[in-house]
Amino acid sequence: MQMLLFNMVVLILVTPILLLIYANKEPLIQYTSQDVFNGINFFIGLFILISFLLFVTTMLTYVERRLVARMQNRIGPNRVGPFGVLQGFADLIKLITKEDLIPTLANRNIFSLAPILIMSPVLLMFAVIPILPGFTIADLDIGIFYVVAITSLGSLGVFAAGWASNSKYSLYGAVRGVAQLVSYEVPLVLSICTIVLLSGSLNLIEIAEAQEIPFILVQPVAFLIILFSVAAELNRTPFDINEADSEIVAGFHTEYSGTKFALIYGTEYLAAFGWSLVIAILFFGHLGPGIGGFLMLMAKTSIILFLFFWFRGTWPRVRIDQILAIAWKIMFPLATINIIITAGEILFVQSIFNINPGNALGLQPLAIITIINIILFAGLLVILSFVKGLGQFDKGPKRYVPDIEGVN
Amino acid sequence: MAETAKYWGVLFMALAAFLVPTSLIFLSHIFSKIRIRPKPDSEKNVSRGAPYESGMTPVGTARVKFNFRFYLFALLFLIFDVEVLFIFPWAARFLHLGFEAYVAMLPFLMLVLIGFLYEWKKEALEWK
Amino acid sequence: MTLELSRQYVVSLLTKHFEDVIDLDTEKHLYIKAENLHDVCLIFKDEPEFKMDMLRYLDCVDYIDHFELRYALLSLSNNQSLTFKVRLWGRDDPEVASVVDVWEGANLQEREIYDLMGIGFINHPNMKRIFLWEGFPGHPLRKDFL
Amino acid sequence: MRIFGLGAIKGLVVTLKYLFRPPFTTQYPENKLDISPRFRGNNFVWYEERCTGCSSCAKACPLGIIRIVTHPESHQQVGNDYKIDVFEIDTGRCMFCALCVEACPYDALHMGGDFEKADYVREDLVITTDQLREGTKKPQTQFRPQLEDIGYQGEEELDEHEAGRWSL
Amino acid sequence: MSQGNESMNESEKNIGGTESVLLNLGPQHPSTHGVFRLRTLLDGEEVVDVEPILGYLHRGSSKLAEERSYTQIITLTDRLDYLAGMSNNLAYISALEKLTDVEPPERARYLRVIMVELMRIASHLMGIGFLINDLGAWITPLMHMFREREKILDLFEMVCGARITFSYMRLGGVSHDLPEGFEKSIAEFLDDFEKKIEEYENLLLGNEIILSRMVGVAPLAGERAINCSITGPNLRASGVDWDLRKQDPYEIYDQLDFSVPLGENGDNWDRMVVRIEEMKESVHILRQCMDKLPQGPYRADTDFFVRPPEGEAYGMVEAPKGELGFYLVSDGSIAPYRMGIRSPSFINLTVLRELCVGWKLADIIVNFGTLDINVGEVDR
């Protein structure tokens, strides 16, 4: 827990710098095309944002190691700096100064390009995310759609990395990665659609402001689907098959070392941070104003991040065919039916509360939808408990009654 | 405020997002040229540049005609992702559109689901 | 307790099926003729008096002039065990029938004996070295190795 | 009926609990585990006064790493007594099985409790006669029940009169 | 049937238009539990053929034993299954005692059983821990199990001064009596460990992911297991009630009350659960032993360089991994003429190919993990 707090503290440290520059400035979204070229502030902001992201990435590697270590009854890295906080930076320095090794038979250009292909989309994703209220690189009206579109490019990099390495382990990682990333795209996007339905907008800020009741209560099913889809997109446990270390060593980045590995490794955490931010915005209610809003957002993000770390510290991995079965046989139909039901519910509350078309749903309508959805969610859990063939979940631990007399 | 102006921000972000990893790789490339110690003998070793295969010399190439069962899943993704694309604008405007839009979308979603069930029945979703 | 079948009992039962399989019948051990090994093993496995369903352990000792294979059998259903031996004369490529088709458990054990003792097992499905690499000179557990 | 997902959540609860418990591990160089008095460390305690040079230890050693050179010349120990010129133990190959300690009839050789004796050169791992003579005399109670009987915990130094079963 | 080269060559070519991939899992692989190599032929994700290739850790214990005295061999046996050194010691000593007709005193028998059962817990902890690690849990269960094993090793250190390479058993007894305070420590450990087993069950047994990965995967029928000479928990998981401690009691097991947990299908799940249940039984046995522990000598008077009469003996115990047997041939000298080792890990490998073929790449690792191989014992 102290690590969670520590994570928060570190994030707070950066905030004043951001605020200093943007406290009395108008938000960037008001720049016109000419302003962008004239406004040097934009570039400073961009620089700060990217430094902030890289800083968070490095810290997250440390935070995860500490947290999971504590779950494992260990201490975790505690040598570099106070409590070991500089561990991530030490790793980074070590990795950057390592030799740039490219396998002889690898496709050199693609091999070098792949880490860039993996990292760029994830960095690009932050262009629309309102980390600080009013501060976005581009407050696009299609915000969430942009996020989905940009991040799906990541699978390209994964496949490029795996294929260019010319190693069998990498090949397996790449192929698995593509199948998995591609499969989880569909339920993820469908579930985002339900959120869009409720808020009536694709803009991230507008979605956040539409949440009179946090959408995690309104849409628990969508939340779970998005949570696990994102875990799959991020290659995190229980869906980390494309870098399954006990099976295919390191998956698509088996051959990578040095800076390129650092990029791939860091991107995992950067993407985790980005997606956690998105989930926090989509599901955890309003964005507050000013520094308080920033802290609240970071706290919400930390919860999601902690969930990912927690899963990793507890659960094993799911097999490839099971992963695809979960995506297609459970999540996809659930998400589709969820859309139909949600749309029906919206029509229902619009008619009983006489809401004009185009107006946002108020508190009471959302409350009714919440109640219905929670009941449905409970029912779903019960139904799933009875379904066989999802890997025979009905067979629990049993006590064997040993038969001592009879042999064989 | 022009909507297009915002995309300039995205463009610069894209440039930055491309430059950050590129410069890091370039930087390490420069570092790798600086040699403090002479080239060790191990660097002339052939197996140094060989792909990893648990310490064994790899048999054959990794560029094989892979049994790509995932191909089916990729195709499925194509089909359904395009359909999802149709849902997005509808969902964004749904609060404005009301009952007629629901009635219009329902058959479409049903078609998607029926198609999905058909594929399930045809065992396109099974591993074998 | 697992019952160790007595030598006389085994001999008396074996002579029902075969006439001349006993190579040597000492006080302590029972020696089966190498050429009858496979048939005898089948009897040991299938006859209800024996019903030796597991090959517990297969080992080989090098006595310079001959090799002794020791078959330790175990019957889980009758809870009894049985041990017999086979002598192989000569040092250059001694051979004996494999019992892998009777007890699959002999598979790796026979390969190990082939590797370290140099005894060939006829009809073994995969008769090659197991611990040492192909082309290793000699068989290390023989007494004349080094 | 088992509610779907409950089992996975149970596991999560277990790991969450451990987040708030103190870690089990010890930070090695700062904190050290308490070793038991019988612990077989990687040094030896040798009492030259008790040693007769009988080479029982060298005979008992499975690896033959104890080297003893003697010449007949009486000194204080009773019995067939030799003067010891060389008594060396090559701990680079030693596996610390304590068979030599068990074999010593005069309680001259004891296991030591040290475990921080790494070195860069293999030759330095050989404990020479001088090192054995001058080393700290903190014997472990491995195969020395008389030390346990007096409540010795392997912490203080013992001289040759205290360490053996028989006084000299 | 075959461990097959010929089958491999045939299938290497083409399967339904796609090429199969020949992948070496090991020797330098994170989850082969040592230096072990699995030459696998894969069709996409599916396993066409598996061939275990051994010998990377072969130290020639049998040959080394031929030039060491009987007591010195005890140090060799520690290093066979380095996760269960006590069991190896006991197996060797039981063979040696059969050879020399030495009767250990009663207290020694109890001490041996205490040590061996502690060792069984430690070995099973490692087996399950690494298995779950292979399943992909980020070493959390493994670390929790390491922690408990660490406590057991502390107990061993109290008794015999070493944590892995014990060399504790001696001909006609054990090398040390229990130290002061051991009773208290072991009682504390057992009380704590029972709670920890509950925790493991919460962590592992209910988890839907583990269930879906293990239930019904790679089943092994009882008859097949017997025919392949499988012993130990793997055999019992297949539903065969065969435990040397029950069926052929050695030491004092006939005076103890315990049950033998059995599985049903012999799938991965059963193999794991049987091990957990066995740990509980071991706790039960340990409690009884500590209650009944008689006073008296702990070691018979024997020579260091013992010269057994000419003859041979086969002594075996139910080691954590299966039936561990030592076959000693004596020619009357101080060193055995031949020492054969029936190592359960090695013989259990017989079914590996059968278990893996037809399942996925990820299942190979799990099947391999549930077989609970220790490479030190395979390659001895």
Side-chain angles (χ1 to χ4, degrees), chain B residues 9-23:
Chain B
V10 178
L11 178 70
F12 284 114
M13 186 74 187
L15 276 177
F18 180 76
L19 278 177
V20 168
T22 315
S23 59

Side-chain angles (χ1 to χ4, degrees), chain E residues 149-166:
Chain E
R149 175 171 176 265
E150 206 60 22
K151 293 174 187 167
I152 295 176
L153 295 188
D154 281 345
L155 290 175
F156 286 143
E157 190 197 306
M158 274 177 85
V159 178
C160 65
R163 300 170 74 85
I164 306 283
T165 52
F166 310 105

Side-chain angles (χ1 to χ4, degrees), chain B residues 64-112:
Chain B
V64 291
K65 275 194 277 174
F66 199 76
N67 188 349
F68 202 53
R69 284 197 205 284
F70 314 103
Y71 184 62
L72 265 181
F73 291 94
L75 272 185
L76 281 178
F77 162 74
L78 263 186
I79 297 163
F80 287 109
D81 212 37
V82 170
E83 281 158 1
V84 167
L85 217 62
F86 293 139
I87 299 176
F88 246 111
W90 169 79
R93 295 292 291 173
F94 184 73
L95 289 179
H96 299 262
L97 299 174
F99 185 67
E100 293 81 0
Y102 188 60
V103 174
M105 204 58 185
L106 208 52
F108 176 72
L109 282 174
M110 283 300 160
L111 266 177
V112 170

Side-chain angles (χ1 to χ4, degrees), chain E residues 151-272:
Chain E
K151 293 174 187 167
I152 295 176
L153 295 188
D154 281 345
L155 290 175
F156 286 143
E157 190 197 306
M158 274 177 85
V159 178
C160 65
R163 300 170 74 85
I164 306 283
T165 52
F166 310 105
S167 307
Y168 180 59
M169 315 274 175
R170 289 289 188 276
L171 177 60
V174 294
S175 67
H176 289 82
D177 205 350
L178 294 183
E180 250 176 75
F182 183 81
E183 286 85 354
K184 191 164 153 281
S185 308
I186 198 172
E188 273 172 18
F189 167 74
L190 291 178
D191 290 341
D192 184 49
F193 187 66
E194 280 185 336
K195 284 175 209 148
K196 288 297 182 328
I197 289 185
E198 258 173 53
E199 209 174 87
Y200 297 147
E201 287 183 340
N202 281 338
L203 185 61
L204 305 177
L205 291 192
N207 196 327
E208 276 81 3
I209 298 171
I210 296 182
L211 279 165
S212 64
R213 281 297 298 276
M214 296 180 79
V215 173
V217 174
L220 180 65
E223 285 181 9
R224 185 78 190 131
I226 293 172
N227 196 19
C228 292
S229 299
I230 306 299
T231 45
N234 296 331
L235 180 65
R236 293 192 280 281
S238 299
V240 183
D241 185 6
W242 181 261
D243 189 326
L244 284 180
R245 294 176 294 170
K246 273 282 182 216
Q247 312 296 346
D248 190 8
Y250 51 94
E251 303 299 333
I252 48 151
Y253 279 110
D254 44 352
Q255 302 164 30
L256 298 172
D257 164 53
F258 64 99
S259 56
V260 178
L262 293 181
E264 274 175 10
N265 313 315
D267 54 6
N268 282 341
W269 175 253
D270 281 346
R271 282 195 279 269
M272 181 175 83

Side-chain angles (χ1 to χ4, degrees), chain A residues 33 39 57 79 90 114 127 138 221 262 267 359 377 384 389 395 400:
Chain A
S33 56
T57 309
R79 293 281 169 183
V221 177
T267 306
N359 285 7
F377 178 56
L384 274 181
K395 184 171 179 181
Y400 292 99

Side-chain angles (χ1 to χ4, degrees), chain C:
Chain C
M1 287 296 265
T2 307
L3 179 72
E4 173 91 42
L5 291 184
S6 74
R7 196 171 34 77
Q8 293 90 344
Y9 177 68
V10 175
V11 171
S12 65
L13 281 176
L14 264 188
T15 42
K16 275 188 204 167
H17 296 279
F18 302 100
E19 286 188 352
D20 185 30
V21 291
I22 312 297
D23 183 14
L24 182 68
D25 189 10
T26 66
E27 252 175 59
K28 285 179 183 163
H29 309 296
L30 172 68
Y31 291 86
I32 304 282
K33 281 191 176 169
E35 57 266 28
N36 298 92
L37 172 67
H38 193 264
D39 299 333
V40 171
C41 284
L42 280 175
I43 294 292
F44 279 149
K45 193 191 177 198
D46 297 332
E47 284 302 304
E49 294 93 348
F50 297 118
K51 203 137 185 22
M52 296 294 163
D53 33 25
M54 183 191 274
L55 176 70
R56 182 180 228 166
Y57 182 48
L58 171 57
D59 201 358
C60 179
V61 187
D62 178 11
Y63 284 110
I64 315 290
D65 55 341
H66 68 283
F67 290 98
E68 260 184 31
L69 282 169
R70 178 180 179 272
Y71 289 79
L73 308 180
L74 181 65
S75 166
L76 274 66
S77 33
N78 300 347
N79 201 356
Q80 58 194 17
S81 67
L82 187 158
T83 312
F84 68 90
K85 291 193 172 187
V86 173
R87 287 194 294 183
L88 300 173
W89 298 90
R91 299 197 68 77
D92 309 323
D93 304 323
E95 279 192 332
V96 71
S98 165
V99 293
V100 174
D101 50 342
V102 187
W103 298 289
E104 174 84 31
N107 191 334
L108 293 182
Q109 303 186 50
E110 284 183 353
R111 275 180 72 188
E112 187 197 353
I113 288 173
Y114 168 71
D115 189 0
L116 302 178
M117 282 286 190
I119 292 173
F121 289 89
I122 305 162
N123 290 334
H124 189 283
N126 187 21
M127 196 81 261
K128 56 178 190 177
R129 282 179 179 264
I130 185 165
F131 289 132
L132 301 163
W133 57 96
E134 292 295 332
F136 183 86
H139 303 282
L141 276 187
R142 286 189 176 188
K143 286 286 175 185
D144 57 0
F145 184 85
L146 289 183

